[in-house]
Amino acid sequence: MTSIVFGALAVIDLPQQHADFIARAMVMTVLVSIVLHGLSVEPIARLHARRAG
């Protein structure tokens, strides 16, 4: 969420050339975060289930 907010603020204030780069970097950061969270949720849940019970 923070990446989106700061990226949007930068895109609004920066010249177009730099804003495009920041927008692409923001999108990639969010997409990579989603993928990594999706890949890690099941192993972490299994580990937690083993420890809890």
Side-chain angles (χ1 to χ4, degrees):
M1 182 70 163
T2 306
S3 298
I4 296 170
V5 171
F6 286 132
L9 290 172
V11 168
I12 290 168
D13 287 339
L14 291 173
Q16 186 63 35
Q17 179 185 6
H18 299 297
D20 289 342
F21 175 77
I22 295 297
R24 279 188 245 119
M26 177 182 58
V27 168
M28 290 305 298
T29 300
V30 172
L31 288 176
V32 168
S33 176
I34 290 169
V35 169
L36 290 177
H37 281 89
L39 292 174
S40 66
V41 70
E42 187 176 344
I44 292 173
R46 285 184 192 167
L47 178 65
H48 179 69
R50 272 186 271 166
R51 288 186 178 184

